[in-house]
Amino acid sequence: MTRYLMAVYGPAERNEFGTYASQEEMDEAMAATGAFNESLRERGHWVFADGLGPVSNATVVDGQGSAPVVTDGPYLESKEYLGGFWIIEAPDLDVALALAAEGSRACRGKVEVRPFEAP
Amino acid sequence: MTEAADAITRVHREEWARVVATLARRLGDLDVAEEMAAEAFAIAVERWPRDGVPPNPGAWLTTTANRRAIDRLRRESRRDDKEQEARMLYDDVPAEPLGVIDDDRLRLVFTCCHPALAPEARVALTLRMVGGLTVPEIARAFLVPEATLGQRITRAKAKIKAARIPYRVPAAEDLPARVSGVLAVLYLVFNEGYLASDPDQDPVRSDLTGEAIRLTRLVHALLPYDGEVAGLLALMLLTEARRPARLSADGELVVLAEQDRGAWDPALVAEGQALVRERLAAVAAGQGRPGRYQILAAINAVHTSARDIRDTDWGQVVALYDQLVRVDPSPIVALNRAVAVAELDGPEVALALVDRLDLAGYHAFHVTRADLLRRLGRSADARAAYDSALALAGNSAEVAHLTRRRDQLAPAAGTDHQPPAT
């Protein structure tokens, strides 16, 4: 089995419905994502998954110098940020891509699939 | 000596993919598989001239490559080498059937054309791993610096390994979608051979068209019931059949209407047309709908059936293009349809269709307009269109053809016309 990161990117701008257009859309996406997570567990692919808080709450720490330097904001300035992710286990990329397609449909976002270095 | 050299060249063409594919299955690593296959061929080059060509060269090469791989595993004594070694030594029969068809080479084709790889990497990897072309050969064919192409292949192989792109034939339900990607790669190779884009290359690259046909034959042999595979093979054969008539003695492109039809290859025409008839019968019997390649092959079957351009059944050609537009409503298909409409309904009707298309960056658009304007006697407009076409054309034979056509136009009515020097 190989571990894959399935990362969901979304706009930096969030409203009261997160990255969704309405309350209804957000609720539907959350429910679909919850069901997808449940099926990942049932099928034995689940390792971990969660959504991230807004990028405005990110902090960068550089501990390489004599004293750590702490900076408000994300490491990379971008219009789109990692909004959440799954870590899954799958026997090969075809299985991972099929799961990513399911996850993408559920959460209504594009999903980047990336293998971890260690098998 | 020559006999052995000939045998090696022939066996390389015929057996390279099989040797690489068998090793890839056993090793699960394309990189090592390729290296071991290359080593086995190097040993053959050394030994066959001295010891004679073995009775079954393919098996000899696979066994030799296999032994090298085992030696290497022993030397490297990796953590899992015992397991690998056992698999290599005892795995003489194909693994359990993983897809609809169990063939190592077919798995190799699908791995090289996996959608998770960049399209240009798919082409390069297929030519390298399945076609056995060298990196410099592929780089030359696609006008890419060798270092870039080498990196592209290395990167693709690394991704196959790290992301675990599986070495298998897709399941039946995924097959049509995945086959279409394979066919796109093969068609790209063929087209680059048929109208080379580099002005410094031969205008027609029979090495590439030949390679594309060889690989498509292989895929057809492995997936005989796939209509689009048969369609693409027929399309390539019927196009390739016209190649001998496609260049004039002084290297100018000869368009279909002006080709010497007696120079067409009758064996390729017959083979291509037989495939088209087979597909027509299958479709008539309800076995699927014809896709893009089958329709294009049928169009080429109509062209190759006419002994003279005047005998061409343009009504049927237009009807087939109508069918193609439904399958692929792209402006390029509409442009090709307009060329046939010009023969059926005249250049004026066709020009109206062409002028509606948004293809100003595509050289064939200007070629078509130039030709229609020329036939309508609008010389100045035709001249401008030939100039636009020439600005975008890269193929040397085509440039020669377009230049001559432009220079044959009636002189412009303006004052800038220079009388010919006497």
Side-chain angles (χ1 to χ4, degrees), chain A residues 70-93:
Chain A
V70 176
T71 324
D72 176 37
Y75 177 69
L76 290 173
E77 288 297 337
S78 166
K79 282 189 173 134
E80 291 188 305
Y81 288 97
L82 184 63
F85 60 88
W86 289 271
I87 295 169
I88 57 144
E89 276 185 335
D92 60 50
L93 187 68

Side-chain angles (χ1 to χ4, degrees), chain A residues 1 12 26 30 38 42 60 68 102 111:
Chain A
M1 293 290 248
M26 184 172 81
M30 290 300 152
E38 194 43 50
E42 279 166 14
V60 173
E102 286 180 40
V111 176

Side-chain angles (χ1 to χ4, degrees), chain A residues 1-2 4 91-94 97 115 119, chain B residues 114 116 159 162-166 168 178:
Chain A
M1 293 290 248
T2 301
Y4 296 89
D92 60 50
L93 187 68
D94 281 355
L97 295 181
Chain B
H114 196 279
K159 183 169 182 184
R164 291 230 180 172
I165 289 180
R168 88 171 150 233
R178 290 286 305 280

Side-chain angles (χ1 to χ4, degrees), chain B residues 6-23:
Chain B
D6 286 350
I8 287 166
T9 311
R10 197 188 63 243
V11 171
H12 189 271
R13 306 227 86 199
E14 289 166 3
E15 301 290 342
W16 169 265
R18 202 192 302 269
V19 176
V20 171
T22 308
L23 286 167

